[in-house]
Amino acid sequence: MDIARRWFGKLRLKEKHKPSSKKESTPTGKEGSKSPLNEEIPSAATKQKVEAAKQYIEKHYKEQMRSLQERKERRNMLEKKLADSEVSEEEQNNILKYLERKETEYMRLQRHKMGADDFEPLTVIGKGAFGEVRICREKSTGNIYAMKKLKKSEMLRRGQVEHVKAERNLLAEVDSNCIVKLYCSFQDEEYLYLIMEYLPGGDMMTLLMRKDTLTEDEARFYVGETVLAIESIHKHNYVHRDIKPDNLLLDRNGHMKLSDFGLCKPLDCSNINEKDFSVGNNYSGALQSDGRPAKPKRTQQEQLQHWQRNRRMLAYSTVGTPDYIAPEVLLKRGYGMECDWWSLGAIMYEMLVGYPPFYSEEPLSTCRKVIMAFSLTCAIVLGCNCLVTSK
């Protein structure tokens, strides 16, 4: 290091005292004036890439230093415990060498880049719009997993990239025993792979088809576990939007776990007020000629502000299964996390009665029944409010 410093010092000194052989000239041929700089100013995209690379490198080395510090602390703690115990010095060295070897193997596994070749594909258990789910076996350990294989070109063509990102982020963020676990994810040029927990107990739809109805105790047990699952994703500001018996899976011990987060959506709930979802506050007290409540009149500026305020807090897409879809989803007036609780109520009804509450042979007829029930409920609530106000 000292040799390199002396060498650079001599180089700077030579450059400083070196006489200039040629005079600087401008493109027009005039001597004595400096030539304009030909360096291009970096674009905003380049600056963003540089900043992202800088943050990535800083984060990487911070994690490396933190990991090294934690390893040193663990080693010191272990040496103190071995010194306090009645163990010979030779046995202490053997224990330390064994643990060092185990930690080295673990770190090597962490650096290993997973790929589709590490898994042996088995039976296909489900197919979707742009992918499939199949059982697979990890070649190194023999463990069984569920591999979700998604075709990238179809995801781009159907505009489902954000949904897939939201699903992956939710599975990575939420640590709950009531939802399916994500072990790892990787990709190649054509497919995206999600390696998830395999649940051999089937789904709630199969259970209902086999038993027709459940007892109150059974329904209470499964609904309670589903409530915990929904609450765990709501705490992270995600709405599932597709709660149905097909997505409630059973593990080998009969416990319920929520799956299929392809339609989930992250919501910004930091500024949501109760009036955003209250029926009484969404309508004025006046009624139209047909008896329906009249919408409050807003100016164009107020409508724009309302949309800008709610576009990140509410969802507007009509998604879900008609038998379990919430009315606010169908009305396209904006909805939040409450739509998942409506779906759970419909599932609980089906568990006890044997069919969904608004079932019809035609999906459009089912949607009409849902909206009609919602309209009647609004009329009853508004009627009760009018009676209380008059008294």
Side-chain angles (χ1 to χ4, degrees):
M1 183 63 73
D2 294 335
I3 297 173
R5 287 175 181 171
R6 287 197 296 269
W7 186 82
F8 278 115
K10 291 179 181 179
L11 183 62
R12 290 197 191 99
L13 188 62
K14 288 181 180 180
E15 291 179 351
K16 185 176 180 181
H17 295 286
K18 184 177 180 181
S20 58
S21 59
K22 295 182 180 180
K23 293 183 179 181
E24 295 179 349
S25 60
T26 61
T28 58
K30 295 181 180 179
E31 298 181 353
S33 59
K34 295 182 179 180
S35 62
L37 296 175
N38 294 326
E39 297 180 358
E40 295 183 359
I41 299 176
S43 63
T46 303
K47 291 180 180 179
Q48 290 179 357
K49 291 179 181 179
V50 171
E51 185 65 25
K54 177 184 175 183
Q55 292 179 2
Y56 174 79
I57 294 172
E58 289 178 351
K59 181 180 178 182
H60 173 74
Y61 282 102
K62 282 181 181 178
E63 291 178 353
Q64 291 288 332
M65 295 302 296
R66 189 184 68 225
S67 177
L68 179 61
Q69 185 65 27
E70 290 176 354
R71 288 170 58 195
K72 289 181 178 179
E73 292 176 357
R74 287 198 302 269
R75 170 129 188 158
N76 293 334
M77 190 180 299
L78 179 61
E79 288 178 349
K80 289 180 181 179
K81 288 184 178 179
L82 290 175
D84 296 337
S85 62
E86 297 179 356
V87 181
S88 65
E89 186 174 351
E90 184 179 357
E91 291 180 353
Q92 291 181 17
N93 292 332
N94 291 334
I95 292 173
L96 289 173
K97 288 180 181 179
Y98 172 76
L99 294 176
E100 284 177 0
R101 188 166 60 254
K102 285 291 184 182
E103 188 169 28
T104 302
E105 292 175 359
Y106 175 73
M107 293 172 65
R108 186 180 296 113
L109 288 175
Q110 279 189 320
R111 292 193 298 268
H112 175 66
K113 190 174 182 180
M114 301 293 293
D117 295 335
D118 295 321
F119 298 90
E120 178 187 356
L122 301 175
T123 310
V124 176
I125 58 176
K127 287 191 176 183
F130 47 91
E132 65 179 19
V133 181
R134 67 165 64 231
I135 304 173
C136 65
R137 180 187 291 112
E138 189 176 8
K139 294 179 180 179
S140 60
T141 62
N143 295 332
I144 301 297
Y145 300 101
M147 175 189 286
K148 192 169 186 179
K149 184 179 178 182
L150 306 173
K151 194 173 182 63
K152 289 183 179 180
S153 58
E154 285 296 313
M155 289 163 48
L156 292 171
R157 189 176 68 84
R158 295 171 179 264
Q160 298 294 315
V161 176
E162 293 301 323
H163 288 165
V164 175
K165 284 184 179 179
E167 178 179 11
R168 189 264 176 197
N169 292 339
L170 185 147
L171 290 171
E173 290 177 20
V174 181
D175 184 15
S176 173
N177 293 327
C178 298
I179 70 170
V180 177
K181 293 185 181 300
L182 174 69
Y183 290 102
C184 63
S185 61
F186 50 88
Q187 58 181 320
D188 55 25
E189 294 181 357
E190 192 173 0
Y191 294 100
L192 172 68
Y193 302 89
L194 301 177
I195 305 300
M196 298 183 295
E197 178 183 12
Y198 171 58
L199 302 176
D203 55 33
M204 177 54 61
M205 178 60 73
T206 304
L207 181 65
L208 290 174
M209 291 173 64
R210 187 168 65 245
K211 298 191 67 173
D212 195 17
T213 59
L214 304 179
T215 64
E216 289 188 8
D217 290 337
E218 292 172 340
R220 187 181 297 112
F221 172 76
Y222 289 128
V223 169
E225 292 199 328
T226 309
V227 167
L228 294 176
I230 296 174
E231 184 183 17
S232 66
I233 64 174
H234 285 183
K235 283 182 179 178
H236 289 75
N237 297 334
Y238 284 93
V239 55
H240 190 280
R241 302 200 295 177
D242 195 22
I243 303 291
K244 58 183 179 181
D246 310 67
N247 294 335
L248 301 177
L249 305 183
L250 302 173
D251 63 9
R252 62 178 71 253
N253 298 317
H255 289 283
M256 182 79 69
K257 293 197 176 186
L258 183 61
S259 69
D260 196 355
F261 301 92
L263 294 178
C264 69
K265 179 180 175 64
L267 297 179
D268 181 9
C269 300
S270 57
N271 297 318
I272 291 184
N273 299 320
E274 185 179 355
K275 63 182 180 181
D276 293 323
F277 306 110
S278 175
V279 175
N281 289 334
N282 286 339
Y283 298 98
S284 62
L287 298 178
Q288 298 178 0
S289 58
D290 55 356
R292 293 181 300 173
K295 297 180 181 179
K297 294 182 179 179
R298 291 193 182 100
T299 63
Q300 186 175 3
Q301 183 65 23
E302 289 175 345
Q303 290 177 356
L304 177 61
Q305 291 175 354
H306 182 266
W307 162 251
Q308 291 176 343
R309 180 170 59 88
N310 285 343
R311 64 180 175 181
R312 286 183 59 85
M313 297 187 297
L314 305 177
Y316 289 85
S317 303
T318 305
V319 295
T321 306
D323 288 328
Y324 313 100
I325 197 168
E328 57 267 26
V329 179
L330 295 172
L331 294 174
K332 297 184 179 181
R333 293 172 182 166
Y335 57 91
M337 298 178 179
E338 71 284 351
C339 67
D340 289 341
W341 300 118
W342 174 283
S343 303
L344 178 59
I347 294 173
M348 182 172 61
Y349 183 96
E350 184 176 1
M351 288 179 179
L352 297 173
V353 179
Y355 54 88
F358 306 103
Y359 171 74
S360 179
E361 294 183 359
E362 296 293 333
L364 185 59
S365 178
T366 300
C367 296
R368 287 172 179 167
K369 288 182 179 181
V370 172
I371 295 177
M372 187 180 299
F374 176 74
S375 301
L376 290 173
T377 303
C378 291
I380 294 171
V381 171
L382 290 173
C384 293
N385 288 340
C386 292
L387 290 174
V388 171
T389 305
S390 62
K391 288 181 180 180

